[in-house]
Amino acid sequence: MLEVRGLEVHYGGIAAVKGIDLQVSKGELVCLIGANGAGKTTTLKAIAALVPRSRGDIRLGGDSTAGLASFELVRRGLALVPEGRGVFGRLTVRENLEMGAYHRSDGEVGQDLEKVFALMPRLHERRNQTGGTLSGGEQQMLAIGRSLMSRPKLLLLDEPSMGLAPLMVQKVFETIQAIARGGVTILLVEQNAKLALELAGRAYVMESGCITLAGDAGALLTDQRVREAYLGE
Amino acid sequence: MSAVDFEILLQQILNGLVLGSVYALVALGYTMVYGVLGLINFAHGEVVMIGALSTLSAARLLQSVLPGLPGPIVLLLSTLAAIPVCMALGYTIERVAYRPLRFAPRLAPLITAIGVSILLQNIAMVVWGRSYHSFPAYVSTEPFQVFGATMTPVQVVIIVVAMAIMAGLMFLVHRTKLGRAMRATAENQSVAGLMGVNINAIISITFVIGSALAAVAGVMVAANYSIAHYYMGFVLGLKAFTAAVLGGIGNLGGAVAGGLLLGLIESLGAGYIGDLTGGFMGSNYQDVFAFFVLIMVLVFRPSGLMGERVAERA
């Protein structure tokens, strides 16, 4: 589904991502963990063409994404829930969700809207409120729900637990699990390594722009290096 | 208040509404562009001017081909011809002058905007000459009485058309998919892109719509004062910019409110300044009011009447 080879990203003269390889197969839930500033967000942004890559090849469903803008990638089944959620604060909840289906012209948008409301009843209650009036957790749910409205094949999630109360984090992760079970391929970036590793099938560990460990999430959860660096033991 | 006093007051209010409708149409162009790009398009006033002058040229051409055509039809058809000219102009201005500077420091596009404004004035001077052109009364300017005040049919048309266009724009922005994409782009370009919105296309459309409104506003000003010239867009543009700031730049409702309010302030101010200063200052001080308002808003309430509170951002 997603293949990244030798990806390098520079901000000015500084290398944020230094030639990484990663791949996510259809139906997988893969997580990318690492400390602040390791280059995880930059990696996702490069995949979604929000930042230009300096070198490397990114393939989505087998096709190279070189030269495509982010709005074109949406049409190829890519959705990114950005760090900080990116909810449109002045649009209503319903309008935010409709924006998710912006590129679609099929007649099933209304149906999908009902599905998202069924998955997240809170959003239905608040459908006519503006996005800016929602709590952090509700905004995160809205951002995820909005991404589903595009009917993604590959969903990229950037720090969905950031700034949320523990109970809300749990809710968000349950939702992510439900989405994965529904057949959406997911690449999850998280600082909350424990939660992410428990949820994911496979995982990559990123450190200062490089991938230093990769493998089965369960195995990484018991790996001594991971436990020391990310699980605080 | 005596009957005469009331009639004078009503007259100033009517004049203010006519003036204000035009300001509002132009202010919408400023505020829409500011909304999506954070840029003050100082060339917008020149688009108004080009709208008026190309309408005039189209009308002359039309009348030489079909001499018997009734005035209102001539005006309608030539305005419809001038609108696409201005739309193309707006598109080109963004494409050539602003897009290359999208990620430049804010001062660069601002200086460019002033440059484009001067360039367009000079092009217009070459094409239409330096002289004032009288704008024929295609719609009757024969006054009629409303409760003692006088109004002309052209003024009624201005108010009605302006209100209809503004209602249409509000519908477009708040009730259609395109409008939703415009609002989303105004709020967060990169996230709108992640939703599949082609940001460049939305920015182009914003310029094109704003320029169409400017074309109509240009025709209104020319028809109301029966005059058009290459310099008419400059002061009008500054006043409409003032109206946009007064209403809260970036806010469509604010631009409409600011435009109407500024029209009323100017008209009432010019109408009564003579009495207030014992004849020392006359209605030729009309322009002072708009810029006095601009200074006051910038000093005391820079976010304008309906300005967005920054905290609203998610």
Side-chain angles (χ1 to χ4, degrees):
Chain A
M1 177 63 66
L2 175 72
E3 262 189 278
V4 176
R5 285 240 177 85
L7 177 68
E8 284 179 31
V9 183
H10 291 83
Y11 288 123
I14 301 155
V17 177
K18 302 166 185 165
I20 62 162
D21 298 325
L22 65 83
Q23 60 113 17
V24 183
S25 309
K26 193 169 163 33
E28 265 193 312
L29 200 174
V30 174
C31 74
L32 178 60
I33 58 173
N36 239 337
K40 309 182 301 288
T41 294
T42 305
T43 302
L44 286 196
K45 282 186 167 172
I47 295 172
L50 284 181
V51 294
R53 59 184 105 142
S54 328
R55 198 169 295 162
D57 188 33
I58 299 172
R59 286 177 177 275
L60 192 61
D63 302 320
S64 169
T65 65
L68 293 177
S70 36
F71 78 91
E72 292 165 314
L73 290 170
V74 180
R75 275 157 223 186
R76 294 173 186 233
L78 182 84
L80 166 64
V81 177
E83 187 179 14
R85 303 157 200 135
V87 160
F88 298 115
R90 277 174 263 155
L91 268 60
T92 66
V93 168
R94 199 198 162 92
E95 286 176 326
N96 265 282
L97 291 171
E98 285 168 338
M99 278 309 297
Y102 180 79
H103 72 286
R104 290 172 54 185
S105 50
D106 57 277
E108 293 172 12
V109 174
Q111 228 171 292
D112 285 8
L113 196 62
E114 292 310 315
K115 275 189 203 162
V116 169
F117 283 147
L119 191 67
M120 305 166 179
R122 231 8 212 194
L123 296 184
H124 185 256
E125 281 169 39
R126 309 199 164 221
R127 63 191 178 280
N128 294 323
Q129 280 178 235
T130 55
T133 64
L134 301 187
S135 74
E138 289 165 346
Q139 288 193 357
Q140 187 62 58
M141 289 301 225
L142 176 56
I144 294 173
R146 185 177 62 183
S147 71
L148 293 180
M149 292 297 292
S150 73
R151 289 201 171 171
K153 294 188 193 117
L154 174 66
L155 180 59
L156 310 177
L157 295 164
D158 196 355
E159 303 266 7
S161 76
M162 194 168 69
L164 301 186
L167 204 67
M168 203 62 222
V169 171
Q170 205 184 334
K171 254 183 151 169
V172 167
F173 271 72
E174 278 165 17
T175 308
I176 295 171
Q177 195 163 30
I179 294 166
R181 285 211 191 100
V184 180
T185 310
I186 297 177
L187 176 59
L188 169 70
V189 157
E190 255 304 332
Q191 275 200 58
N192 190 332
K194 186 167 182 291
L195 266 178
L197 288 173
E198 281 170 359
L199 191 68
R202 279 193 312 115
Y204 293 92
V205 179
M206 206 165 171
E207 256 170 72
S208 25
C210 302
I211 285 178
T212 49
L213 279 172
D216 182 73
L220 285 176
L221 202 51
T222 55
D223 187 286
Q224 199 50 42
R225 286 164 295 179
V226 173
R227 296 187 76 88
E228 276 169 17
Y230 303 106
L231 303 176
E233 287 173 21
Chain B
M1 188 188 271
S2 76
V4 174
D5 287 344
F6 170 76
E7 282 163 13
I8 291 174
L9 178 65
L10 182 66
Q11 184 69 60
Q12 303 304 348
I13 290 174
L14 287 177
N15 291 347
L17 284 179
V18 173
L19 202 56
S21 309
V22 177
Y23 289 160
L25 278 187
V26 184
L28 281 168
Y30 276 102
T31 227
M32 283 167 73
V33 166
Y34 185 85
V36 293
L37 278 186
L39 161 80
I40 307 291
N41 175 18
F42 274 118
H44 193 58
E46 308 328 320
V47 180
V48 175
M49 171 269 294
I50 299 228
L53 287 170
S54 14
T55 301
L56 187 64
S57 294
R60 283 175 180 164
L61 184 71
L62 203 57
Q63 282 189 311
S64 68
V65 179
L66 297 164
L69 217 55
I73 306 277
V74 172
L75 187 63
L76 179 67
L77 291 178
S78 29
T79 306
L80 290 179
I83 288 172
V85 171
C86 287
M87 287 170 135
L89 180 64
Y91 175 85
T92 311
I93 291 173
E94 190 273 324
R95 207 56 228 269
V96 174
Y98 301 144
R99 192 169 299 182
L101 298 172
R102 187 80 55 81
F103 301 103
R106 288 171 78 103
L107 195 56
L110 196 66
I111 294 169
T112 306
I114 295 168
V116 172
S117 169
I118 295 170
L119 177 74
L120 290 176
Q121 272 179 31
N122 282 279
I123 291 175
M125 193 170 75
V126 170
V127 175
W128 285 284
R130 302 179 66 100
S131 55
Y132 284 50
H133 299 275
S134 80
F135 198 90
Y138 297 112
V139 174
S140 166
T141 47
E142 202 60 48
F144 61 91
Q145 300 280 316
V146 198
F147 301 112
T150 59
M151 241 189 137
T152 64
V154 88
Q155 290 180 317
V156 176
V157 172
I158 288 174
I159 292 179
V160 171
V161 171
M163 295 301 155
I165 290 177
M166 288 188 264
L169 184 70
M170 290 297 168
F171 179 83
L172 174 80
V173 170
H174 290 284
R175 292 279 177 272
T176 67
K177 190 172 174 177
L178 173 65
R180 210 155 56 221
M182 289 169 78
R183 283 181 291 140
T185 303
E187 205 170 315
N188 190 333
Q189 282 192 15
S190 62
V191 177
L194 287 174
M195 304 291 113
V197 177
N198 182 345
I199 304 300
N200 284 332
I202 293 292
I203 290 171
S204 289
I205 290 170
T206 304
F207 270 84
V208 165
I209 294 175
S211 302
L213 302 190
V216 177
V219 177
M220 289 174 170
V221 179
N224 192 36
Y225 294 114
S226 307
I227 212 159
H229 53 96
Y230 80 96
Y231 202 60
M232 66 185 278
F234 183 68
V235 170
L236 180 69
L238 283 181
K239 286 185 181 173
F241 165 66
T242 303
V245 172
L246 173 62
I249 192 130
N251 182 312
L252 294 186
V256 174
L260 292 174
L261 193 60
L262 189 70
L264 288 171
I265 291 172
E266 256 197 50
S267 174
L268 290 170
Y272 289 107
I273 191 172
D275 294 346
L276 291 174
T277 58
F280 179 66
M281 290 163 126
S283 58
N284 49 347
Y285 280 85
Q286 179 174 354
D287 291 353
V288 170
F289 292 99
F291 302 119
F292 181 70
V293 166
L294 179 61
I295 292 166
M296 288 298 118
V297 172
L298 290 178
V299 171
F300 293 108
R301 198 178 157 82
S303 61
L305 298 175
M306 302 186 187
E308 304 288 340
R309 283 164 304 158
V310 182
E312 246 178 53
R313 288 232 160 161

